[in-house]
Amino acid sequence: MKKFSSKRSVQILAHVLKSYGIVDIVVSPGSRNAPLAIHFGEMDEFNTYSIVDERSAGFVALGMAQCEKKPVAVTCTSGSAAANYYPAVTEAFYQNIPLLILSADRPSDYVDLFDGQTIRQNALFQQHSYGDFQLLEDGEEDAEDHNFQLIKKAVELCIEKQGPVHINIPLAEPLYDLVTELPEFPSIEKTLKTRSYEIPSNLIAEWNTAKRILILTGTRSYSKELESQLSQLVKNHSVVVLCETNANLYHEKFFGHIDRYIYNFTEDDYQTYAPDLLITLGQNVVSKKVKEFLRKAKPKNHWHVDEHWQPDTYFALTETIRTSPENFLGKLLNFVNLEPSSYYNLWDVLRHKKETKHQEYIQQIGFSDLLIFKLLSLKIPEGFNVHFSNSSAIRYAQLFEFRNRRIYCNRGTSGIDGSTSTAMGFAIKATNPTVLVTGDLSFFYDINGLWNQYIPPYTRIVVVNNGEGNIFRIIPGPSKANGNILDEFIATKHQKTAEHLAKHFGFGYVKVDDDLTLNRVLDHFFKPDNQPKILEIITKQADNAEILKRYFQTLKD
């Protein structure tokens, strides 16, 4: 016989979530949130997942929501447990991934009395959430009606904003009283808001008079519709489309690998290649160089198209377009002229020159981080979901073609802290296999991302272990530090490997440290097996930073 929580606030919460199709609940262990764990765990309509570490749990839920494109709920006990969600909350906030944070709490009059596991949880995430709500406790006046409406508002806000929303739930003891029957709750009248958009006539005029139109696409999930629309725009060489690997857009006339082209731009080049109309789609871009280029280019007009964010990233914003790129371009294509442009040819000549230099250099490099990413671009099977960790991994990925894979990276805040957990959360819900390509520091930082029982056997992890945070040998600045300081406190050199961790968490494990073995291993690594696998590639012996610097110097020369 099933037994449910007797807490009315929990019963109402489950009813509302079920009504909106929010069925995935990530639970971290605790007593204060036991009513939620019991209730969701007993209801057939919900999928519950036990993740012990709340910091990891937040990112696991984020990866699940990223995959499913709908809200995922996380719930934990009171006190510091909820604070551990904060890194994932900030990432979800800046990526617009819908997370519903359900933090159990002590009764509100226990706050600041030095009662166990009691902190100021109400509005804990207010700087990085789209809404913070606190339920009334069972037995308070009008608690049921109030909580019903408040939860409904929170859920609809999470869906509309596609971002994190927090519900704090005070729960008094006893926590383990159960019932075998649930009351009949009223049906919910959904009041989700939709926003219409019509293109102002002045934008059509700006497009039709512009001679140099540049479209820059940042981080976003794959969209066949958007890819098709942009393909129409480049068909006659009317515009230049720059896109990064994690924009998930591919066409022979799109310009990927942005840093290849603009790495050595001079002050004169900033003006030579400057657009007069810049249109940005999506969110964060990885390339620091493209930000520098466009800030110095000072385009006459800059339109940013996004449902949620309108940042003036390039200090030239003239139009905020609050709709999806697909909706905007679908309407725009009905009105604008698509005439051939010499601006496209200018960029195309640059592309061919840099592509030749790229191929010449790549063909002659030895075993190194750079070679690994070339091989991964060739060997990862089509159809895989590829998650890159931050710092070096996502930057190397920008230099190669990952066509026919879906690319993801936590570029909302660009931290290394939850890359593994996010990828594992995504893998749990994905139909196609997922591979995480990660640096060593990012991997070891987030090893609790492997501490769950739901990771599918076809999941793969590639750890590029160069024995440190090699990014600090690449970017300008850190080399000015004393060598010992750089080694210990910035690059943080180490001797760790993933071998024992793989065994501990039930992963298969392969280690390689030369290119011949790597080529042979990669041919088999992605084939189906009865357990997830880790491939660790040791590159400590290679001068990775110098090889990458020479690569860019070759492009410059």
Side-chain angles (χ1 to χ4, degrees):
M1 178 183 295
K2 291 184 178 295
K3 295 182 179 180
F4 309 97
S5 173
S6 65
K7 298 291 186 185
R8 298 290 281 183
S9 59
V10 175
Q11 294 173 0
I12 294 168
L13 175 67
H15 172 68
V16 177
L17 265 56
K18 181 177 65 172
S19 299
Y20 284 90
I22 301 173
V23 297
D24 292 316
I25 317 291
V26 176
V27 182
S28 292
S31 194
R32 191 59 48 168
N33 66 327
L36 288 88
I38 292 168
H39 199 80
F40 288 122
E42 287 280 25
M43 295 188 70
D44 294 334
E45 297 88 343
F46 292 96
N47 308 313
T48 50
Y49 303 86
S50 175
I51 307 292
V52 174
D53 177 354
E54 288 89 2
R55 188 192 58 77
S56 177
F59 282 106
V60 168
L62 183 146
M64 295 169 71
Q66 187 180 57
C67 180
E68 295 277 88
K69 294 183 171 57
K70 66 179 185 179
V72 170
V74 286
T75 180
C76 65
T77 191
S78 62
S80 60
N84 280 301
Y85 285 151
Y86 216 121
V89 170
T90 58
E91 183 64 34
F93 183 69
Y94 287 109
Q95 269 202 70
N96 285 103
I97 294 177
L99 277 187
L100 192 62
I101 302 104
L102 310 175
S103 58
D105 200 359
R106 261 43 178 191
S108 55
D109 55 1
Y110 278 60
V111 175
D112 291 345
L113 296 184
F114 283 12
D115 204 55
Q117 289 184 258
T118 307
I119 65 171
R120 301 174 185 179
Q121 280 183 210
N122 188 19
L124 179 63
F125 308 106
Q126 63 179 341
Q127 289 293 318
H128 295 94
S129 67
Y130 286 98
D132 290 85
F133 303 89
Q134 174 140 322
L135 300 189
L136 294 179
E137 297 170 39
D138 286 1
E140 290 192 62
E141 185 177 355
D142 296 324
E144 290 197 19
D145 289 341
H146 173 87
N147 288 345
F148 193 96
Q149 293 304 319
L150 186 145
I151 296 167
K152 176 178 179 291
K153 181 179 179 181
V155 168
E156 292 196 345
L157 195 61
C158 186
I159 295 170
E160 289 169 359
K161 294 293 188 180
Q162 288 292 286
V165 170
H166 175 210
I167 302 176
N168 195 49
I169 309 169
L171 294 167
E173 296 180 14
L175 302 172
Y176 294 90
D177 283 358
L178 306 176
V179 297
T180 56
E181 297 289 336
L182 291 175
E184 287 289 331
F185 289 109
S187 59
I188 292 176
E189 181 182 353
K190 297 178 183 177
T191 53
L192 290 162
K193 299 173 185 176
T194 57
R195 180 184 292 149
S196 61
Y197 178 81
E198 296 298 330
I199 296 179
S201 58
N202 67 297
L203 296 191
I204 299 169
E206 283 181 16
W207 174 288
N208 288 332
T209 56
K211 302 298 183 184
R212 300 155 70 93
I213 302 173
L214 176 65
I215 299 177
L216 172 65
T217 59
T219 301
R220 57 168 296 118
S221 57
Y222 173 72
S223 167
K224 184 177 181 180
E225 181 181 6
L226 179 60
E227 191 172 72
S228 174
Q229 292 165 337
L230 291 173
S231 299
Q232 292 181 59
L233 292 176
V234 300
K235 183 178 180 180
N236 293 328
H237 300 177
S238 303
V239 303
V240 171
V241 174
L242 297 183
C243 48
E244 296 193 309
T245 298
N246 41 307
N248 286 294
L249 296 165
Y250 303 98
H251 189 277
E252 62 182 8
K253 293 182 180 179
F254 295 167
F255 293 80
H257 325 301
I258 301 170
D259 278 359
R260 279 195 209 169
Y261 316 136
I262 67 175
Y263 171 74
N264 63 319
F265 267 13
T266 64
E267 294 295 327
D268 289 341
D269 291 328
Y270 291 136
Q271 300 310 311
T272 300
Y273 293 91
D276 49 22
L277 171 58
L278 169 66
I279 303 172
T280 50
L281 314 176
Q283 298 183 337
N284 257 311
V285 296
V286 176
S287 172
K288 189 174 181 180
K289 288 294 181 183
V290 81
K291 293 174 186 173
E292 181 182 10
F293 160 49
L294 292 172
R295 286 168 181 171
K296 292 188 175 182
K298 294 181 170 55
K300 178 182 176 182
N301 293 300
H302 171 205
W303 309 346
H304 183 68
V305 187
D306 188 75
E307 302 99 313
H308 307 290
W309 290 93
Q310 282 73 38
D312 190 7
T313 305
Y314 309 103
F315 311 142
L317 190 64
T318 56
E319 191 72 27
T320 59
I321 299 170
R322 296 176 182 271
T323 190
S324 70
E326 293 88 341
N327 186 36
F328 173 71
L329 292 178
K331 294 178 183 294
L332 184 75
L333 282 163
N334 294 322
F335 299 103
V336 298
N337 299 325
L338 298 178
E339 301 296 332
S341 167
S342 60
Y343 187 54
Y344 177 93
N345 296 330
L346 178 72
W347 278 89
D348 201 33
V349 169
L350 179 66
R351 167 167 53 187
H352 285 298
K353 184 169 68 172
K354 300 297 186 182
E355 176 67 20
T356 299
K357 291 179 177 291
H358 167 84
Q359 293 297 342
E360 289 175 354
Y361 186 84
I362 292 299
Q363 294 305 319
Q364 53 85 35
I365 60 171
F367 185 68
S368 60
D369 289 356
L370 186 61
L371 178 66
I372 288 167
F373 281 83
K374 171 198 170 183
L375 293 175
L376 289 175
S377 72
L378 300 172
K379 300 285 190 177
I380 294 175
E382 292 188 1
F384 264 58
N385 304 298
V386 186
H387 281 250
F388 289 104
S389 68
N390 271 304
S391 292
S392 296
I394 188 60
R395 287 172 170 83
Y396 277 112
Q398 302 302 326
L399 303 176
F400 299 97
E401 189 78 69
F402 287 88
R403 182 186 293 268
N404 297 326
R405 293 90 160 183
R406 300 293 174 254
I407 308 301
Y408 301 89
C409 180
N410 281 350
R411 293 305 295 180
T413 61
S414 305
I416 68 167
D417 44 354
S419 298
T420 302
S421 294
T422 302
M424 296 305 101
F426 193 102
I428 290 167
K429 301 303 295 185
T431 303
N432 289 353
T434 298
V435 57
L436 167 67
V437 180
T438 177
D440 45 297
L441 291 192
S442 180
F443 176 73
F444 293 127
Y445 190 103
D446 192 25
I447 56 174
N448 277 352
L450 307 183
W451 188 8
N452 73 74
Q453 59 183 316
Y454 314 105
I455 299 171
Y458 42 77
T459 304
R460 299 291 180 265
I461 298 175
V462 177
V463 181
V464 182
N465 188 344
N466 50 43
E468 63 179 4
N470 196 245
I471 185 71
F472 299 109
R473 311 283 181 186
I474 298 169
I475 61 175
S479 60
K480 296 178 182 178
N482 176 284
N484 292 333
I485 296 295
L486 177 59
D487 286 350
E488 184 173 359
F489 298 108
I490 301 175
T492 55
K493 295 185 79 167
H494 66 87
Q495 299 299 321
K496 292 178 172 57
T497 69
E499 183 174 3
H500 296 297
L501 289 172
K503 182 178 180 181
H504 180 72
F505 288 111
F507 278 66
Y509 176 79
V510 183
K511 181 174 74 173
V512 301
D513 56 10
D514 67 88
D515 52 345
L516 293 178
T517 307
L518 177 60
N519 260 302
R520 187 174 68 252
V521 166
L522 283 175
D523 287 334
H524 302 281
F525 180 68
F526 297 102
K527 291 180 179 178
D529 205 335
N530 60 1
Q531 63 180 159
K533 292 193 289 189
I534 295 173
L535 167 61
E536 184 169 27
I537 310 170
I538 308 295
T539 65
K540 298 174 186 179
Q541 69 276 29
D543 194 348
N544 294 295
E546 185 59 32
I547 290 169
L548 186 62
K549 288 175 182 177
R550 286 203 302 267
Y551 168 80
F552 282 113
Q553 186 62 42
T554 299
L555 296 180
K556 181 177 180 181
D557 294 341

